[in-house]
Amino acid sequence: MLIDPARETGQLTLLTNAMVREVTTDAEGRATGVSYIDTRTRSEQKVQADIVILAASACESARLLLNSTSNQHPNGLANSSGVVGRYLMDSTGTTVAGILPQLMNDPDHNCDGVGGMHVYIPWWLHDQHDRLGFPRGYHFEIWGGRGMPGYGIMNNIHTYNDAFAGPDERPKGGGGYGPQLKEDYRRFYGSVVGLSGRGEMVAREDNYCEIDPDTVDQYGIPTLRFNVNWSDAELQQVRHMQETGREILRSMDAHVFGDMPTEEQDYGITMPGEIIHEAGTTRMGDDPRSSVLNSYCQAHDVDNLFVTDAGPLVSMPHKNPTWTIMALAMRASDYIIDQRNKGTL
Amino acid sequence: MADMERRDALKLLGLMAATSTFSFACTAEETSTGSAAATPPDGTTRPTADYTKQFFTDHEMRTVRVMADLVIPADDRSGSASDARVPEFIDHVMTDELLGDPQPRQTAMRGGLAWVDYQCLQRFDALFADCSEAQQKELLDDIAWPDAAPDGMEAGVEFFNSFRNLVASGFFSSKMGVDDLGYIGNTYVSEWTGCPDDVRAT
């Protein structure tokens, strides 16, 4: 999105297929550039820089910092606080879906448009946390419609085609074959509606990624391992998603798929990382002892080093984090320009 | 949002039936590990026009053809599964590296077809594809309705659940199947006028 305008300045050199190994530093511990491997030739390369800005995604930027060890930064670059990799967050998630009989046997029509069912439900109970039993909020993304028939279409129809059965005689339960089944596929096509809840995870120090001392990737760069668990805050939130989503579907006379996930099933919550919204691994803050970056995404320990992905996020938006990333990156960019003009960076 | 919907749909399929033995990218485990190999990059897989059989023996192919056409026969709206080249599609699925390790689904498919043949030999003294249509349907009636299946049919039920899924995937993702369902999206729309009146009037 922003690469083209940057190129138009004539000031941009773009290096692709460059897997960065570490941020290089000088004797004083300031950043001097990066070393990388050209993935086409597997040759080692270096780039010199006055300022280094990492935006490799939250976990990869943390990995780079943790892999950039030196005498000045034995625990990894910009990590005197020990916080790099910690406070790792993802969005919470769970999904409820069912068949809406009102949508069965619809006339052919084009359901392409502005996302799922043209409906989105933002968080609505922000003033009722006293009774909810969990902090923070979530939203529902609604999906369904007469999507392009593809691989896996109406998979496992035998688990639901006894719902809203037609006039034909058939054995107990779902399943079947032949003309009856073919007609069922037509009847149910486009009738499934799903509600996918996505919510805010609470940042906690003991959720973290770290360098796995035993493993390297194909370029010989040490990889990450993860220690992340949901807390009761997330589990109770997802329980609320499940109960609410089921209530919404049932109120529309839907045949809801599956039973309410139990406490033992963690209420059907996704695995940490599954929603692909990693954030918080290089959190910002005013106190260098408990944060990696200042409010301009500038490393407390290394003044010419910045991180502008989701790593700086201190808390998780329940929406997708991209716009927050962009806003913080723009703020950091303005700050860098300002400091350069003042000659202080 | 599209990625998220697909991910949720796949996850849900896993929740709905975690036991399908050779369905694809639809177990919660496969989905949650995010295995790039579990689903082709564009969510589709299909044999090329000049496709030649890669996996099935001639006998297995004949069996698949007969059974697939019993699952989705021709009617006045569209052709049969084999008219849409579903047997070739299934053969392709058995070997498509983009769908991940083929060994488990190959074993489940080959074993399931052998189970069907053995059942027919015991009951009718003939292989499934050589049985009369009435005999073939007699067997399918015992494995096509999971809740009503007689004891001892569990392996066949499991096999047929997955087989039905594969036939539906192959048929409805073909041009014939897309036309049958009346899918009319993915086209240029010059002016968005909302949901057609006749849709919500029904």
Side-chain angles (χ1 to χ4, degrees), chain A residues 17-275:
Chain A
N17 301 294
M19 180 70 182
V20 177
R21 185 180 293 284
E22 64 176 328
V23 178
T24 53
T25 52
D26 60 18
E28 284 74 48
R30 295 186 86 233
T32 57
V34 298
S35 69
Y36 69 92
I37 184 164
D38 184 323
T39 59
R40 290 162 302 189
T41 62
R42 296 190 66 91
S43 59
E44 299 288 340
Q45 307 286 339
K46 281 194 173 183
V47 178
Q48 301 292 322
D50 294 337
I51 299 171
V52 174
I53 305 169
L54 304 181
S57 87
C59 293
E60 282 296 299
S61 289
R63 177 186 174 200
L64 256 174
L65 294 175
L66 293 171
N67 275 329
S68 303
T69 52
S70 62
N71 287 337
Q72 288 78 21
H73 307 288
N75 298 322
L77 193 58
N79 194 27
S80 64
S81 64
V83 170
V84 171
R86 293 193 173 270
Y87 299 98
L88 173 55
M89 296 172 282
D90 185 20
S91 299
T92 61
T94 198
T95 291
V96 178
I99 295 160
L100 287 183
Q102 304 92 318
L103 299 181
M104 293 172 64
N105 300 304
D106 262 355
D108 298 352
H109 65 287
N110 185 345
C111 286
D112 293 353
V114 289
M117 299 296 281
H118 302 210
V119 184
Y120 175 95
I121 305 177
W123 181 233
W124 67 100
L125 297 172
H126 49 84
D127 57 353
Q128 297 183 41
H129 280 285
D130 290 349
R131 66 171 183 84
L132 287 176
F134 61 88
R136 316 302 169 86
Y138 66 87
H139 66 265
F140 274 124
E141 297 170 20
I142 320 297
W143 51 269
R146 299 167 66 87
M148 184 185 290
Y151 201 53
I153 180 171
M154 287 184 273
N155 236 3
N156 299 328
I157 194 172
H158 66 275
T159 62
Y160 61 81
N161 67 333
D162 55 332
F164 316 112
D168 53 333
E169 291 286 320
R170 54 173 77 185
K172 175 174 163 288
Y177 62 94
Q180 157 265 323
L181 179 72
K182 194 174 185 182
E183 196 55 45
D184 279 349
Y185 282 116
R186 292 164 178 159
R187 292 195 304 131
F188 286 104
Y189 173 55
S191 70
V192 174
V193 170
L195 292 90
S196 292
R198 297 287 182 267
E200 179 175 348
M201 177 184 184
V202 176
R204 288 189 294 128
E205 187 177 11
D206 54 359
N207 282 331
Y208 61 97
C209 57
E210 63 182 342
I211 297 299
D212 182 344
D214 300 328
T215 312
V216 296
D217 66 13
Q218 62 169 309
Y219 307 111
I221 306 171
T223 55
L224 291 173
R225 64 185 178 191
F226 294 86
N227 304 270
V228 181
N229 294 293
W230 299 120
S231 73
D232 198 53
E234 290 83 34
L235 293 173
Q236 293 306 320
Q237 183 195 70
V238 163
R239 176 186 185 176
H240 194 271
M241 288 181 197
Q242 280 282 342
E243 289 171 345
T244 305
R246 287 168 187 278
E247 187 182 343
I248 291 171
L249 288 174
R250 276 196 303 266
S251 71
M252 294 186 288
D253 300 320
H255 169 84
V256 182
F257 293 144
D259 296 326
M260 169 78 197
T262 63
E263 182 179 0
E264 289 70 33
Q265 295 168 318
D266 290 342
Y267 302 113
I269 196 170
T270 46
M271 289 210 318
E274 202 173 334
I275 308 299

Side-chain angles (χ1 to χ4, degrees), chain A residues 94-98 102-116 118-120 141-144 146-162 170-183 185-186 189 192 196 198 257-258 268-271 274-277 320, chain B residues 1 4-5 7-9 11-13 15-17 20 23-24 26 31-33 39-40 43-45 70-75 77-80 89 93 99 136-138 140-141 144-148 160-161 164-166 168-169 171-173 177-178 180-187 189 192 195-196 198-200 202:
Chain A
T94 198
T95 291
V96 178
Q102 304 92 318
L103 299 181
M104 293 172 64
N105 300 304
D106 262 355
D108 298 352
H109 65 287
N110 185 345
C111 286
D112 293 353
V114 289
H118 302 210
V119 184
Y120 175 95
E141 297 170 20
I142 320 297
W143 51 269
R146 299 167 66 87
M148 184 185 290
Y151 201 53
I153 180 171
M154 287 184 273
N155 236 3
N156 299 328
I157 194 172
H158 66 275
T159 62
Y160 61 81
N161 67 333
D162 55 332
R170 54 173 77 185
K172 175 174 163 288
Y177 62 94
Q180 157 265 323
L181 179 72
K182 194 174 185 182
E183 196 55 45
Y185 282 116
R186 292 164 178 159
Y189 173 55
V192 174
S196 292
R198 297 287 182 267
F257 293 144
I269 196 170
T270 46
M271 289 210 318
E274 202 173 334
I275 308 299
I276 335 174
H277 288 164
N320 305 38
Chain B
M1 188 114 134
M4 195 165 290
E5 289 157 21
R7 184 171 53 210
D8 287 325
K11 171 99 182 173
L12 193 71
L13 294 172
L15 290 175
M16 283 159 57
S20 292
S23 45
F24 24 77
C26 75
T31 310
S32 61
T33 54
T39 311
T44 63
T45 185
L70 286 168
V71 173
I72 295 192
D75 61 11
R77 188 145 132 193
S78 62
S80 69
F89 166 85
V93 166
L99 296 169
Q136 289 163 350
K137 286 183 173 177
E138 187 180 322
L140 292 192
D141 285 339
W145 303 93
D147 291 349
F160 196 72
N161 284 343
R164 183 195 292 110
N165 282 343
L166 272 183
S169 273
F171 183 79
F172 289 111
S173 65
V178 167
D180 181 304
L181 288 179
Y183 171 74
I184 53 173
N186 197 30
T187 52
V189 176
W192 175 248
C195 193
D198 64 330
V199 171
R200 289 285 62 86
T202 55

